[in-house]
Amino acid sequence: MDPVTTAALASWHLDVWLIVSAVLTVGVYLRGRRILREQMPSRFSRARAAAFVAGVVTLVIALLSPLDSFSGLILSAHMTQHLLLMMVAPPLLLIGEPGNALLRGLPAVIAREGVGPVIAARPLRRLGHTLTRPAAAWILFVAATWIWHLPGPYERAVYSPLWHWIEHTCFFVTAILFWWPVIAPWPSKAAWPPAAMIAYLLLADIQNTALAAIFCFSERPLYPLYSLVPRLWNLPVLDDQVLAGVIMWVPGSIAFLVPVAVIVLRMLDGSARTRVRPSQFGSNTVFVLALGAALASGAMADGGRVAVSDTDGPLRVTVFSTPDPLRTHDTDLSVMVQPSGNWRPLLDATVELTLRKIGTDEVVRALATREEAHNKLLYAAHLHLPRAGRWNLEAVARHDLGVARVDVTLEVAPTPWWMHGTSLAAMGFGAGLGLLAAARGSRRRRSRNRT
């Protein structure tokens, strides 16, 4: 296989936290399913378990595969990622009816003293009842789809790992809410009659088709960032945009029309559920939303905003910076090296980065390597810049073809206190204590009511 294609296919982001979360989630689910299957074998079938596991695997593929690594370089890869997060993973997870299985699969103390009371909290259940009503769920889903595909929010998500995570979470959460009335996972009942759910899905398909048509028929790039990044595999910007629109249009329509066909067939044979009552918001929703928020934490690390892209002699060097704006902590710089006039990235170059604080003698040096990069077509380095202000970056690429030097001035902003690791840990610990206190308070109130 072509070395560049091999490197692209190897561009997986091995996020240990996400992988461990996925494995533990599947383990807890299967344990709880085994317990419940002894009581209700028809309800917790192997097919439902397979659907849930497939949903978790789909999330992992969407967030860790080359689709994520290339989202800032190829629009069609990013669109495929969105499709998996919104059209594939959420319905598979809900078909698996995970809430009760996950609750039963947890250690008894955690389920009884911690998670159970939180799920049963009345404000949370009321919020869930409101959000899973078909009209509200439809509006939220469509709003998330259109807002995040506007040029401003879209480019912000590409340039910032934090906003990338927020985008993924919005897509996944609103998709869970959207698919909830369609699937109505047990013990819920259909919120609307079958004919109304057909209209619900067809209207969603119409808006999806309208958005896809904008991508397919626009005569200019919708996102200027893709005009700035190197074009891989000689794929022109507009062709990539059309391909992204086709991905949204065809597989997206299939995702809406397949359940329509299922509902129609059930109506024809008389097996469609006609009992209608408000959709019950319970452990199914809480667990699936928590799962998605945890897994969606696998955010883009390579790529980002193009800091400089220039040709020096035989080589073209493009430097990407993330986050945007650069901060005095967790600054990532990644570099693509190409022959001048050729799209093929060079995989055997040596890349040195030197940053000098303007007006001082402070210097930070790093060697960018492919081993540090998630996208294996890039060379990456993780840097700690001690002070905010203006820094001059010089990137030197050495290859058998020759040597190239590019430089640029970077603005580095101070890191807010809440973005420090210790602050995040403290906030997480405080949130955990708050949930535990709420759970204990709920348990005490129930005990008083019994007496």
Side-chain angles (χ1 to χ4, degrees):
M1 186 183 291
D2 175 65
V4 173
T5 303
T6 301
L9 295 176
S11 300
W12 286 74
H13 180 187
L14 298 181
D15 187 315
V16 176
W17 161 248
L18 193 152
I19 295 172
V20 170
S21 299
V23 171
L24 287 178
T25 299
V26 171
V28 170
Y29 172 84
L30 293 178
R31 179 177 182 268
R33 173 191 166 277
R34 178 177 54 80
I35 296 172
L36 292 171
R37 184 172 168 77
E38 296 175 357
Q39 304 169 1
M40 295 173 286
S42 61
R43 170 58 58 185
F44 294 92
S45 64
R46 290 186 177 85
R48 291 189 180 277
F52 179 81
V53 174
V56 174
V57 171
T58 301
L59 275 179
V60 172
I61 291 173
L63 299 170
L64 298 188
S65 75
L67 293 174
D68 192 62
S69 299
F70 283 85
S71 61
L73 298 173
I74 302 176
L75 174 57
S76 51
H78 206 180
M79 192 63 70
T80 303
Q81 184 184 42
H82 292 175
L83 187 76
L84 295 179
L85 289 173
M86 303 181 76
M87 306 293 194
V88 181
L92 286 174
L93 291 170
L94 289 177
I95 289 172
E97 297 180 340
N100 292 292
L102 287 170
L103 189 61
R104 292 296 296 271
L106 289 172
V109 175
I110 295 177
R112 183 178 62 254
E113 303 294 335
V115 177
V118 172
I119 292 175
R122 185 172 298 177
L124 182 62
R125 295 181 68 86
R126 286 178 176 173
L127 176 63
H129 288 318
T130 300
L131 296 181
T132 54
R133 290 173 180 168
W138 194 94
I139 291 172
L140 290 173
F141 177 79
V142 173
T145 301
W146 283 79
I147 290 172
W148 281 109
H149 285 98
L150 293 173
Y154 182 95
E155 294 198 358
R156 171 54 59 191
V158 171
Y159 290 148
S160 168
L162 174 61
W163 284 102
H164 202 58
W165 173 81
I166 293 173
E167 176 197 46
H168 286 169
T169 303
C170 284
F171 280 153
F172 183 82
V173 169
T174 57
I176 287 292
L177 298 176
F178 174 85
W179 290 107
W180 180 277
V182 178
I183 297 170
W186 179 81
S188 294
K189 297 294 182 181
W192 283 359
M197 292 312 303
I198 292 175
Y200 176 91
L201 289 163
L202 291 179
L203 287 173
D205 182 41
I206 291 172
Q207 65 82 30
N208 180 77
T209 299
L211 182 57
I214 294 175
F215 283 86
C216 290
F217 300 115
S218 176
E219 297 181 354
R220 61 179 180 81
L222 297 176
Y223 308 117
L225 75 94
Y226 290 111
S227 300
L228 302 177
V229 300
R231 300 310 308 166
L232 300 177
W233 291 282
N234 282 330
L235 181 62
V237 176
L238 287 180
D239 289 357
D240 182 27
Q241 185 168 286
V242 170
L243 179 58
V246 170
I247 291 171
M248 176 183 283
W249 198 329
V250 180
S253 291
I254 291 173
F256 293 120
L257 296 179
V258 166
V260 168
V262 171
I263 294 173
V264 170
L265 290 175
R266 287 180 176 177
M267 292 175 65
L268 292 176
D269 67 14
S271 63
R273 290 176 292 182
T274 55
R275 184 180 177 187
V276 178
R277 71 178 183 189
S279 165
Q280 292 188 5
F281 175 89
S283 55
N284 275 300
T285 308
V286 174
F287 274 116
V288 173
L289 295 184
L291 168 67
L295 296 188
S297 63
M300 167 190 67
D302 298 330
R305 184 180 293 277
V306 174
V308 60
S309 183
D310 203 357
T311 299
D312 182 20
L315 302 178
R316 183 171 187 82
V317 179
T318 302
V319 181
F320 303 88
S321 62
T322 186
D324 182 44
L326 289 178
R327 300 287 185 182
T328 52
H329 82 303
D330 290 343
T331 294
D332 290 283
L333 296 177
S334 48
V335 182
M336 180 175 287
V337 182
Q338 299 165 287
S340 59
N342 191 329
W343 70 267
R344 295 178 63 83
L346 296 173
L347 307 180
D348 55 349
T350 300
V351 179
E352 300 171 355
L353 303 175
T354 303
L355 290 105
R356 293 181 172 86
K357 179 74 168 62
I358 295 177
T360 72
D361 295 330
E362 291 180 273
V363 178
V364 176
R365 292 186 174 89
L367 183 66
T369 66
R370 290 179 58 223
E371 289 72 21
E372 290 294 320
H374 302 300
N375 185 331
K376 297 306 179 183
L377 303 185
L378 302 177
Y379 302 81
H382 182 75
L383 301 167
H384 176 80
L385 301 180
R387 289 203 296 163
R390 302 180 72 197
W391 290 74
N392 180 262
L393 166 67
E394 181 185 55
V396 180
R398 292 183 170 86
H399 189 265
D400 292 342
L401 297 176
V403 179
R405 288 179 172 84
V406 299
D407 63 86
V408 65
T409 299
L410 301 175
E411 292 287 345
V412 179
T415 302
W417 67 268
W418 52 269
M419 292 182 68
H420 288 285
T422 53
S423 300
L424 291 174
M427 287 190 291
F429 181 71
L433 290 180
L435 289 175
L436 182 60
R440 289 181 174 176
S442 176
R443 190 175 69 254
R444 285 196 297 267
R445 286 192 297 272
R446 290 201 306 271
S447 298
R448 287 196 299 268
N449 291 335
R450 292 194 192 100
T451 58

